[in-house]
Protein backbone atom coordinates (compact mmCIF):
# COMPACT_ATOMS: atom_id res chain seq x y z
CA UNK A 1 0.00 0.00 0.00
CA UNK A 2 1.32 3.46 -0.86
CA UNK A 3 2.14 5.60 2.14
CA UNK A 4 1.01 9.22 2.17
CA UNK A 5 4.07 11.48 2.21
CA UNK A 6 4.15 15.12 3.26
CA UNK A 7 6.11 17.71 1.26
CA UNK A 8 9.26 17.35 3.34
CA UNK A 9 9.25 13.56 3.07
CA UNK A 10 8.73 13.74 -0.70
CA UNK A 11 11.64 16.15 -1.11
CA UNK A 12 13.95 13.99 1.03
CA UNK A 13 12.94 10.82 -0.82
CA UNK A 14 13.54 12.38 -4.23
CA UNK A 15 16.96 13.75 -3.40
CA UNK A 16 18.16 10.73 -1.40
CA UNK A 17 21.44 9.25 -2.73
CA UNK A 18 21.66 11.73 -5.61
CA UNK A 19 24.91 13.38 -6.65
CA UNK A 20 23.16 16.57 -7.76
CA UNK A 21 19.79 18.28 -8.06
CA UNK A 22 19.46 21.17 -10.55
CA UNK A 23 18.05 22.89 -8.54
CA UNK A 24 16.86 21.94 -5.07
CA UNK A 25 14.86 25.15 -4.79
CA UNK A 26 12.92 24.45 -7.94
CA UNK A 27 12.14 20.96 -6.69
CA UNK A 28 11.04 22.25 -3.31
CA UNK A 29 8.80 24.82 -4.94
CA UNK A 30 7.01 22.29 -7.16
CA UNK A 31 6.45 19.94 -4.24
CA UNK A 32 5.23 22.71 -1.94
CA UNK A 33 2.83 23.92 -4.61
CA UNK A 34 1.42 20.42 -4.91
CA UNK A 35 2.32 20.12 -8.60
CA UNK A 36 1.90 16.62 -10.02
CA UNK A 37 5.35 16.18 -11.52
CA UNK A 38 6.16 14.34 -14.72
CA UNK A 39 9.60 12.74 -14.80
CA UNK A 40 11.62 10.69 -17.25
CA UNK A 41 14.80 8.80 -17.91
CA UNK A 42 16.01 7.59 -21.27
CA UNK A 43 18.24 4.63 -21.95
CA UNK A 44 19.72 3.04 -25.05
CA UNK A 45 18.39 -0.51 -25.29
CA UNK A 46 21.62 -1.89 -26.59
CA UNK A 47 22.80 -4.78 -24.49
CA UNK A 48 22.23 -6.40 -21.14
CA UNK A 49 21.65 -4.20 -18.09
CA UNK A 50 24.56 -3.90 -15.65
CA UNK A 51 24.87 -2.76 -12.03
CA UNK A 52 25.15 0.92 -13.02
CA UNK A 53 21.58 0.76 -14.32
CA UNK A 54 20.26 -0.41 -10.97
CA UNK A 55 21.34 2.98 -9.57
CA UNK A 56 18.72 4.73 -11.74
CA UNK A 57 16.18 1.94 -11.38
CA UNK A 58 16.28 2.49 -7.61
CA UNK A 59 15.72 6.21 -8.12
CA UNK A 60 12.76 5.46 -10.41
CA UNK A 61 11.25 3.48 -7.49
CA UNK A 62 11.71 6.50 -5.19
CA UNK A 63 10.17 8.89 -7.71
CA UNK A 64 7.13 6.69 -8.18
CA UNK A 65 6.75 6.42 -4.40
CA UNK A 66 6.95 10.22 -4.23
CA UNK A 67 4.00 10.43 -6.63
CA UNK A 68 5.93 11.40 -9.77
CA UNK A 69 4.30 10.28 -13.03
CA UNK A 70 7.21 8.41 -14.56
CA UNK A 71 8.09 7.96 -18.23
CA UNK A 72 10.81 5.66 -19.41
CA UNK A 73 12.07 6.48 -22.87
CA UNK A 74 13.30 3.48 -24.82
CA UNK A 75 15.81 5.41 -26.90
CA UNK A 76 15.89 3.07 -29.88
CA UNK A 77 16.72 5.73 -32.46
CA UNK A 78 19.46 7.09 -30.28
CA UNK A 79 20.95 3.60 -29.91
CA UNK A 80 20.95 3.25 -33.68
CA UNK A 81 22.75 6.57 -34.15
CA UNK A 82 25.22 5.46 -31.51
CA UNK A 83 26.07 2.32 -33.54
CA UNK A 84 24.60 -0.06 -30.98
CA UNK A 85 23.62 -3.63 -31.93
CA UNK A 86 24.83 -3.01 -35.48
CA UNK A 87 21.97 -0.54 -35.96
CA UNK A 88 19.55 -3.49 -36.05
CA UNK A 89 16.30 -1.83 -34.91
CA UNK A 90 14.50 -5.13 -34.46
CA UNK A 91 17.16 -6.30 -32.00
CA UNK A 92 17.29 -2.88 -30.30
CA UNK A 93 13.52 -3.12 -29.70
CA UNK A 94 13.97 -6.59 -28.23
CA UNK A 95 16.66 -5.27 -25.87
CA UNK A 96 14.16 -2.65 -24.68
CA UNK A 97 11.63 -5.35 -23.86
CA UNK A 98 14.23 -7.33 -21.93
CA UNK A 99 15.04 -4.28 -19.80
CA UNK A 100 11.37 -4.11 -18.77
CA UNK A 101 11.50 -7.71 -17.59
CA UNK A 102 14.68 -7.06 -15.63
CA UNK A 103 13.08 -4.05 -13.95
CA UNK A 104 10.10 -6.15 -12.97
CA UNK A 105 12.38 -8.80 -11.46
CA UNK A 106 14.06 -6.07 -9.44
CA UNK A 107 10.72 -4.95 -8.05
CA UNK A 108 10.44 -1.69 -9.97
CA UNK A 109 6.74 -0.82 -10.24
CA UNK A 110 6.62 -1.23 -14.06
CA UNK A 111 2.82 -1.11 -14.14
CA UNK A 112 3.06 2.49 -12.97
CA UNK A 113 5.55 3.50 -15.67
CA UNK A 114 4.63 4.97 -19.01
CA UNK A 115 7.02 3.42 -21.54
CA UNK A 116 7.76 5.84 -24.35
CA UNK A 117 8.75 4.66 -27.79
CA UNK A 118 11.37 6.95 -29.38
CA UNK A 119 10.31 5.84 -32.86
CA UNK A 120 6.73 6.90 -32.22
CA UNK A 121 7.87 10.29 -31.01
CA UNK A 122 10.03 10.68 -34.11
CA UNK A 123 6.98 10.16 -36.31
CA UNK A 124 5.64 13.55 -35.24
CA UNK A 125 6.85 16.45 -37.38
CA UNK A 126 6.58 18.75 -34.35
CA UNK A 127 9.33 16.68 -32.74
CA UNK A 128 11.68 17.41 -35.65
CA UNK A 129 10.71 21.07 -35.63
CA UNK A 130 11.87 21.12 -32.03
CA UNK A 131 15.15 19.34 -32.88
CA UNK A 132 15.89 22.00 -35.48
CA UNK A 133 15.03 24.76 -33.03
CA UNK A 134 17.41 23.26 -30.47
CA UNK A 135 20.18 23.03 -33.09
CA UNK A 136 19.59 26.63 -34.10
CA UNK A 137 20.18 27.69 -30.52
CA UNK A 138 23.33 25.61 -29.95
CA UNK A 139 26.85 26.19 -31.24
CA UNK A 140 28.79 23.41 -32.95
CA UNK A 141 31.41 23.48 -30.16
CA UNK A 142 28.75 22.97 -27.51
CA UNK A 143 27.02 20.17 -29.41
CA UNK A 144 30.37 18.42 -29.79
CA UNK A 145 31.15 18.76 -26.10
CA UNK A 146 27.75 17.24 -25.33
CA UNK A 147 28.77 13.96 -27.00
CA UNK A 148 29.79 12.75 -23.51
CA UNK A 149 26.08 11.95 -23.00
CA UNK A 150 26.43 9.18 -25.59
CA UNK A 151 29.73 7.92 -24.22
CA UNK A 152 31.73 9.55 -27.02
CA UNK A 153 34.33 12.25 -27.18
CA UNK A 154 34.29 15.51 -29.09
CA UNK A 155 35.81 14.40 -32.38
CA UNK A 156 33.71 11.29 -32.83
CA UNK A 157 31.20 13.18 -34.97
CA UNK A 158 33.89 14.12 -37.49
CA UNK A 159 33.34 11.00 -39.59
CA UNK A 160 29.65 10.54 -38.83
CA UNK A 161 27.70 13.76 -38.46
CA UNK A 162 24.48 11.98 -37.45
CA UNK A 163 26.09 11.87 -34.01
CA UNK A 164 25.67 15.64 -33.74
CA UNK A 165 21.89 15.22 -33.88
CA UNK A 166 21.85 12.92 -30.85
CA UNK A 167 22.33 15.61 -28.15
CA UNK A 168 19.77 17.81 -29.92
CA UNK A 169 17.33 14.88 -29.89
CA UNK A 170 17.90 14.17 -26.22
CA UNK A 171 17.23 17.84 -25.37
CA UNK A 172 14.15 17.78 -27.61
CA UNK A 173 12.88 14.58 -25.94
CA UNK A 174 12.77 16.48 -22.68
CA UNK A 175 11.05 19.56 -24.05
CA UNK A 176 8.66 17.59 -26.26
CA UNK A 177 7.51 15.47 -23.33
CA UNK A 178 6.91 18.60 -21.24
CA UNK A 179 8.79 17.26 -18.25
CA UNK A 180 9.29 18.59 -14.75
CA UNK A 181 12.12 16.16 -14.02
CA UNK A 182 14.92 14.75 -16.16
CA UNK A 183 16.69 11.89 -14.42
CA UNK A 184 20.03 10.42 -15.46
CA UNK A 185 23.50 9.59 -14.22
CA UNK A 186 25.93 12.45 -13.78
CA UNK A 187 27.31 11.68 -17.26
CA UNK A 188 23.99 12.93 -18.74
CA UNK A 189 24.40 16.39 -17.22
CA UNK A 190 25.20 18.31 -20.41
CA UNK A 191 21.88 17.36 -22.01
CA UNK A 192 19.96 18.51 -18.94
CA UNK A 193 21.82 21.80 -18.60
CA UNK A 194 21.21 22.54 -22.27
CA UNK A 195 17.53 21.59 -21.99
CA UNK A 196 17.15 23.94 -19.03
CA UNK A 197 18.72 26.84 -20.92
CA UNK A 198 16.79 26.29 -24.13
CA UNK A 199 13.47 25.68 -22.36
CA UNK A 200 13.84 29.02 -20.65
CA UNK A 201 14.55 30.78 -23.96
CA UNK A 202 11.57 29.28 -25.78
CA UNK A 203 9.16 29.52 -22.85
CA UNK A 204 8.87 25.78 -22.42
CA UNK A 205 8.82 23.98 -19.07
CA UNK A 206 12.27 24.11 -17.48
CA UNK A 207 13.20 20.61 -16.32
CA UNK A 208 14.79 19.91 -12.97
CA UNK A 209 17.90 17.75 -13.45
CA UNK A 210 18.28 14.83 -11.06
CA UNK A 211 21.69 13.23 -11.34
CA UNK A 212 22.61 9.94 -9.77
CA UNK A 213 26.18 9.17 -8.79
CA UNK A 214 28.15 7.01 -11.17
CA UNK A 215 29.25 3.54 -10.17
CA UNK A 216 32.98 3.15 -10.83
CA UNK A 217 34.07 0.47 -13.30
CA UNK A 218 35.57 -2.68 -11.78
CA UNK A 219 39.01 -1.63 -13.01
CA UNK A 220 38.75 1.63 -11.04
CA UNK A 221 38.20 3.50 -14.30
CA UNK A 222 40.68 5.39 -16.43
CA UNK A 223 40.09 8.62 -14.58
CA UNK A 224 40.59 12.03 -16.14
CA UNK A 225 42.17 14.43 -13.67
CA UNK A 226 40.78 17.49 -15.41
CA UNK A 227 37.49 18.35 -17.07
CA UNK A 228 33.98 18.91 -15.79
CA UNK A 229 32.33 16.52 -13.30
CA UNK A 230 30.22 14.84 -15.95
CA UNK A 231 33.21 14.34 -18.25
CA UNK A 232 35.12 12.74 -15.40
CA UNK A 233 32.11 10.56 -14.56
CA UNK A 234 31.96 9.35 -18.16
CA UNK A 235 35.63 8.38 -17.94
CA UNK A 236 35.39 6.11 -14.87
CA UNK A 237 31.87 4.68 -15.16
CA UNK A 238 31.00 1.04 -15.23
CA UNK A 239 29.70 0.72 -18.75
CA UNK A 240 28.28 -1.95 -20.99
CA UNK A 241 30.53 -0.93 -23.86
CA UNK A 242 33.49 -1.85 -21.62
CA UNK A 243 32.20 -5.28 -20.55
CA UNK A 244 35.29 -6.12 -18.50
CA UNK A 245 34.46 -3.21 -16.18
CA UNK A 246 30.90 -4.34 -15.55
CA UNK A 247 28.85 -6.88 -13.64
CA UNK A 248 25.78 -7.75 -15.67
CA UNK A 249 22.49 -8.47 -13.95
CA UNK A 250 22.42 -12.03 -15.28
CA UNK A 251 26.03 -12.93 -14.43
CA UNK A 252 26.35 -16.34 -12.78
CA UNK A 253 27.28 -16.62 -9.10
CA UNK A 254 30.73 -17.72 -10.14
CA UNK A 255 31.21 -14.80 -12.54
CA UNK A 256 30.12 -12.35 -9.85
CA UNK A 257 32.61 -13.85 -7.41
CA UNK A 258 35.45 -13.83 -9.94
CA UNK A 259 34.75 -10.30 -11.12
CA UNK A 260 34.59 -8.96 -7.57
CA UNK A 261 37.72 -10.81 -6.50
CA UNK A 262 39.67 -9.36 -9.45
CA UNK A 263 38.30 -5.84 -9.05
CA UNK A 264 40.27 -2.74 -8.13
CA UNK A 265 39.98 -2.26 -4.35
CA UNK A 266 43.10 -0.73 -2.79
CA UNK A 267 43.31 -0.93 0.99
CA UNK A 268 41.98 2.15 2.82
CA UNK A 269 40.95 3.87 -0.46
CA UNK A 270 37.33 4.95 -0.30
CA UNK A 271 37.04 7.05 -3.45
CA UNK A 272 36.70 5.44 -6.88
CA UNK A 273 36.59 2.09 -5.18
CA UNK A 274 34.05 0.01 -7.13
CA UNK A 275 33.55 -2.46 -4.29
CA UNK A 276 32.69 0.28 -1.81
CA UNK A 277 30.55 1.95 -4.50
CA UNK A 278 28.52 -1.25 -4.89
CA UNK A 279 27.91 -1.21 -1.15
CA UNK A 280 27.07 2.47 -1.03
CA UNK A 281 24.79 2.75 -4.04
CA UNK A 282 23.27 -0.72 -4.33
CA UNK A 283 23.50 -2.91 -1.26
CA UNK A 284 23.00 -0.56 1.70
CA UNK A 285 20.03 1.30 0.14
CA UNK A 286 18.05 -1.98 0.38
CA UNK A 287 15.60 -1.98 3.29
CA UNK A 288 17.06 -3.62 6.37
CA UNK A 289 20.33 -4.54 4.64
CA UNK A 290 23.31 -5.67 6.74
CA UNK A 291 26.78 -6.46 5.41
CA UNK A 292 28.13 -9.50 7.20
CA UNK A 293 31.89 -9.84 7.11
CA UNK A 294 32.86 -13.25 8.39
CA UNK A 295 36.39 -13.52 9.70
CA UNK A 296 38.22 -15.98 11.93
CA UNK A 297 38.68 -14.77 15.53
CA UNK A 298 42.38 -14.15 14.96
CA UNK A 299 41.51 -11.52 12.33
CA UNK A 300 38.96 -9.76 14.55
CA UNK A 301 35.97 -12.10 14.23
CA UNK A 302 32.74 -11.56 12.30
CA UNK A 303 31.51 -7.98 12.01
CA UNK A 304 28.16 -6.76 10.83
CA UNK A 305 27.62 -3.31 9.35
CA UNK A 306 24.18 -1.76 9.35
CA UNK A 307 25.21 1.64 8.03
CA UNK A 308 27.37 2.34 5.02
CA UNK A 309 29.26 5.17 6.75
CA UNK A 310 30.47 2.82 9.46
CA UNK A 311 31.82 0.43 6.84
CA UNK A 312 33.54 3.26 5.00
CA UNK A 313 35.20 4.54 8.20
CA UNK A 314 36.45 1.15 9.22
CA UNK A 315 37.77 0.53 5.71
CA UNK A 316 39.54 3.91 5.61
CA UNK A 317 41.17 3.06 8.96
CA UNK A 318 42.46 -0.23 7.62
CA UNK A 319 40.22 -2.22 9.99
CA UNK A 320 38.58 -4.10 7.12
CA UNK A 321 40.76 -6.02 4.68
CA UNK A 322 39.92 -5.74 0.93
CA UNK A 323 39.64 -9.50 0.60
CA UNK A 324 37.09 -9.76 3.42
CA UNK A 325 35.15 -6.83 1.98
CA UNK A 326 35.14 -8.46 -1.45
CA UNK A 327 33.90 -11.81 -0.14
CA UNK A 328 31.02 -10.23 1.79
CA UNK A 329 30.13 -7.95 -1.13
CA UNK A 330 30.06 -10.83 -3.62
CA UNK A 331 27.75 -12.87 -1.33
CA UNK A 332 25.34 -9.96 -0.86
CA UNK A 333 25.30 -9.09 -4.53
CA UNK A 334 24.62 -12.70 -5.48
CA UNK A 335 21.62 -12.60 -3.13
CA UNK A 336 20.37 -9.26 -4.48
CA UNK A 337 20.47 -10.43 -8.09
CA UNK A 338 18.86 -13.82 -7.44
CA UNK A 339 15.43 -12.87 -8.93
CA UNK A 340 17.13 -11.66 -12.13
CA UNK A 341 19.15 -14.84 -12.52
CA UNK A 342 15.91 -16.74 -12.11
CA UNK A 343 14.37 -14.67 -14.91
CA UNK A 344 17.27 -15.57 -17.20
CA UNK A 345 16.67 -19.27 -16.56
CA UNK A 346 13.53 -19.01 -18.72
CA UNK A 347 14.20 -20.40 -22.20
CA UNK A 348 12.80 -17.44 -24.13
CA UNK A 349 14.77 -14.92 -22.04
CA UNK A 350 17.95 -17.00 -22.26
CA UNK A 351 17.58 -17.14 -26.02
CA UNK A 352 16.93 -13.42 -26.26
CA UNK A 353 19.98 -12.63 -24.12
CA UNK A 354 22.12 -14.79 -26.42
CA UNK A 355 20.75 -13.04 -29.50
CA UNK A 356 21.48 -9.61 -27.99
CA UNK A 357 24.97 -10.62 -26.88
CA UNK A 358 25.75 -11.88 -30.39
CA UNK A 359 24.55 -8.59 -31.84
CA UNK A 360 26.69 -6.31 -29.69
CA UNK A 361 28.89 -4.12 -31.83
CA UNK A 362 29.88 -1.55 -29.22
N1 LIG B 1 28.14 3.02 -14.00
C1 LIG B 1 27.00 3.69 -13.91
N2 LIG B 1 26.61 4.21 -12.73
C2 LIG B 1 25.45 4.89 -12.62
N3 LIG B 1 24.64 5.13 -13.66
C3 LIG B 1 24.99 4.63 -14.86
C4 LIG B 1 26.17 3.89 -15.05
N4 LIG B 1 26.25 3.52 -16.35
C5 LIG B 1 25.18 4.03 -16.95
N5 LIG B 1 24.42 4.70 -16.07
C6 LIG B 1 23.19 5.44 -16.36
O1 LIG B 1 22.32 4.61 -17.06
C7 LIG B 1 21.60 5.34 -18.04
C8 LIG B 1 21.82 4.66 -19.35
O2 LIG B 1 23.17 4.86 -19.70
P1 LIG B 1 23.98 4.16 -20.85
O3 LIG B 1 23.03 3.59 -21.84
O4 LIG B 1 25.01 5.13 -21.31
O5 LIG B 1 24.68 3.00 -20.08
P2 LIG B 1 25.97 2.23 -20.42
O6 LIG B 1 25.68 0.86 -20.08
O7 LIG B 1 27.12 2.82 -19.74
O8 LIG B 1 26.06 2.36 -21.97
P3 LIG B 1 27.22 2.50 -22.96
O9 LIG B 1 28.39 1.76 -22.45
O10 LIG B 1 26.60 1.86 -24.12
O11 LIG B 1 27.45 3.99 -23.09
C9 LIG B 1 22.16 6.78 -17.99
O12 LIG B 1 21.31 7.59 -17.23
C10 LIG B 1 23.49 6.60 -17.30
O13 LIG B 1 23.89 7.74 -16.58
N1 LIG C 1 22.17 9.34 -23.60
C1 LIG C 1 21.59 8.26 -22.84
C2 LIG C 1 20.37 7.69 -23.49
C3 LIG C 1 19.26 8.67 -23.66
C4 LIG C 1 18.74 8.92 -24.92
C5 LIG C 1 17.70 9.83 -25.09
C6 LIG C 1 17.22 10.49 -23.98
O1 LIG C 1 16.20 11.42 -24.14
C7 LIG C 1 17.73 10.25 -22.72
C8 LIG C 1 18.74 9.33 -22.57
C9 LIG C 1 22.62 7.15 -22.69
O2 LIG C 1 23.67 7.17 -23.14
O3 LIG C 1 22.29 6.19 -22.14
Amino acid sequence: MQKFLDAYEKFELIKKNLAEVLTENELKEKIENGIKMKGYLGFEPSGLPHLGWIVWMNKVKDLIDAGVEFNLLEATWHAMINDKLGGNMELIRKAARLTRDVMKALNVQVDKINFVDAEKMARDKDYWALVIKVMKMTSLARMKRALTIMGRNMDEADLDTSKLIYPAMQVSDIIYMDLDIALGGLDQRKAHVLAREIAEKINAKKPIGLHTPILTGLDGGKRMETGEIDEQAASYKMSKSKPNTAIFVNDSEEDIKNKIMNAYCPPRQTEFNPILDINKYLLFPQNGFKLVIERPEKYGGTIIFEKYNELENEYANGKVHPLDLKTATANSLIEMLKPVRKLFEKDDIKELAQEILKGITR
Side-chain angles (χ1 to χ4, degrees), residues 280-296:
K280 185 172 181 182
Y281 302 130
L282 301 176
L283 296 176
F284 278 86
Q286 299 174 102
N287 266 341
F289 177 77
K290 291 183 181 131
L291 186 76
V292 182
I293 299 193
E294 287 176 343
R295 302 181 296 198

Side-chain angles (χ1 to χ4, degrees), residues 40 48 51 86 88 94 120 141 175 248 260 289 310 359:
Y40 109 122
L48 301 179
L51 294 187
N88 177 345
K94 286 185 182 173
K120 201 163 154 200
I175 299 176
F248 292 91
I260 296 264
F289 177 77
E310 290 165 8

Side-chain angles (χ1 to χ4, degrees), residues 186-205:
L186 207 48
D187 58 328
Q188 301 299 310
R189 191 174 195 275
K190 284 196 173 29
H192 299 169
V193 170
L194 199 54
R196 284 167 59 78
E197 280 179 34
I198 293 180
E200 203 155 39
K201 284 189 196 146
I202 64 171
N203 267 332
K205 202 188 270 177

Side-chain angles (χ1 to χ4, degrees), residues 50 52-53 56 84 184-185 187 213-215 237-241:
H50 58 81
W53 285 29
W56 64 254
K84 302 292 173 67
D187 58 328
I214 293 292
L215 203 64
K237 79 171 192 176
M238 176 180 290
S239 144
K240 69 174 135 43
S241 32

Side-chain angles (χ1 to χ4, degrees), residues 82 147-153 156 187-188 234 237 241 362:
N82 207 2
L147 293 184
T148 41
I149 64 166
M150 53 193 294
R152 304 268 181 177
N153 54 43
E156 286 191 85
D187 58 328
Q188 301 299 310
K237 79 171 192 176
S241 32
R362 180 188 153 82

Side-chain angles (χ1 to χ4, degrees), residues 331-349:
N331 290 338
S332 301
L333 202 54
I334 286 172
E335 185 60 30
M336 187 186 96
L337 294 173
K338 207 175 185 173
V340 189
R341 282 195 306 279
K342 196 145 185 62
L343 169 74
F344 279 79
E345 279 170 15
K346 290 188 185 165
D347 287 339
D348 54 334
I349 301 283

